[in-house]
Amino acid sequence: MKKMVLFLAAFVLILFAGGCATEIIDVVSPADISLAELEKRMNAASDPDGLFAASSSYVMRQEVKQEFFLDDDIVQMVEVKFEKPDKIALITFVDNEPSNIFCTDGKRGWIADYASRKIVLLDEKGLDRMQMLASLGRPGSGGYSAVFKDVQLVKCSNELGNFYRLECRLENQEYPIYFYVDMDDYLLRRVKMKVQIGENDVFDYENRIMKYELREGVVIPVETQVHQLGDTQECKVLYYQLNPKFPANDFQPPVF
């Protein structure tokens, strides 16, 4: 299960959330392990019985809470649905009603906004990002090197601990994505990247895993913190299931 659940949550929250953490300085040194061996140990740590690798689909629901000092908290629910080989739907709910959906049937992708009743077909770049997300979340995927054009592995120490740091780039991606894997238990603890919206707007994004639990025989991150755009959000997994059955239209935009 390695990086999939965290990155799914991370990607969803990039689209629907906000926050920016204090800069953390990494002190790096050469890795003492190969990427293949690291991924093998990560798989053993998060998917000890191979249940996730053997699954054909999953669903995860996550509560996202943002606190405000002088205003009411905002609480949303984000649902992730995945079906092999590359179908995915990311739905945000407000007051138990769908608000936004990002989805792909493997060939096309859409963004739909329920308030405006507007549907946008993703361009090539947007679809590439959705397909990357699907690749990272695919059970039994080939790992980081199968998804990213370039992966650089180093050891890394900072104020949060000691990690293996993977610097990953897509073929047409200007900014890398950094994955931090705990050197003791081989669980993913942090994802850091720059997110670009439009041609000129770039901001920092960070997702930290605070707690793991065993669900459906798989060790998944159940509590995370998202930092971007000056805010912090607390995220908690409410529900997780392997091998659910989905109707085909779950990966199509809604009909307004």
Side-chain angles (χ1 to χ4, degrees), residues 3-218:
K3 64 277 176 195
M4 74 87 194
V5 172
L6 172 62
F7 199 79
L8 286 173
F11 195 92
V12 173
L13 294 167
I14 287 172
L15 301 175
F16 301 118
C20 182
T22 303
E23 184 178 4
I24 295 174
I25 304 301
D26 293 340
V27 178
V28 301
S29 59
D32 58 359
I33 189 174
S34 68
L35 177 58
E37 179 61 26
L38 176 60
E39 291 186 325
K40 179 180 178 180
R41 296 183 188 185
M42 292 175 69
N43 285 334
S46 60
D47 190 20
D49 298 317
L51 297 177
F52 177 75
S55 65
S56 60
S57 63
Y58 57 80
V59 60
M60 180 180 70
R61 299 189 188 109
Q62 188 177 54
E63 179 186 80
V64 181
K65 181 178 180 180
Q66 184 170 337
E67 297 181 352
F68 294 90
F69 180 62
L70 296 175
D71 206 344
D72 294 336
D73 297 344
I74 294 178
V75 179
Q76 298 177 327
M77 197 269 282
V78 176
E79 183 174 68
V80 181
K81 297 178 180 179
F82 179 89
E83 183 176 274
K84 278 186 174 179
D86 49 14
K87 296 180 180 180
I88 192 164
L90 316 175
I91 311 106
T92 297
F93 294 83
V94 178
D95 295 329
N96 295 319
E97 295 293 333
S99 174
N100 297 279
I101 180 171
F102 284 64
C103 59
T104 176
D105 61 4
K107 297 179 181 179
R108 296 172 296 169
W110 302 269
I111 304 171
D113 180 81
Y114 283 78
S116 65
R117 303 175 68 84
K118 183 178 180 181
I119 298 173
V120 176
L121 182 68
L122 292 177
D123 60 16
E124 183 178 355
K125 189 173 183 180
L127 183 59
D128 285 345
R129 289 174 178 172
M130 289 294 292
Q131 289 174 336
M132 176 192 69
L133 173 62
S135 297
L136 285 168
R138 184 182 300 119
S141 69
Y144 293 94
S145 57
V147 174
F148 294 99
K149 176 185 178 182
D150 181 58
V151 180
Q152 300 295 323
L153 174 63
V154 297
K155 290 199 300 184
C156 165
S157 297
N158 57 43
E159 63 188 72
L160 299 177
N162 299 314
F163 306 94
Y164 290 109
R165 191 187 79 181
L166 297 98
E167 180 180 339
C168 303
R169 291 180 183 270
L170 292 171
E171 185 172 359
N172 298 317
Q173 184 180 16
E174 181 178 357
Y175 302 105
I177 302 173
Y178 295 95
F179 298 90
Y180 292 79
V181 180
D182 194 300
M183 291 183 66
D184 292 326
D185 60 17
Y186 301 103
L187 294 174
L188 188 61
R189 296 293 178 180
R190 184 177 174 223
V191 176
K192 184 180 74 169
M193 68 186 79
K194 290 185 180 294
V195 179
Q196 183 171 356
I197 299 179
E199 295 184 0
N200 301 314
D201 294 330
V202 179
F203 59 89
D204 293 324
Y205 164 88
E206 180 182 351
N207 190 312
R208 298 183 194 177
I209 296 181
M210 312 307 293
K211 183 180 180 180
Y212 277 92
E213 285 184 1
L214 186 69
R215 301 279 182 92
E216 296 269 288
V218 183

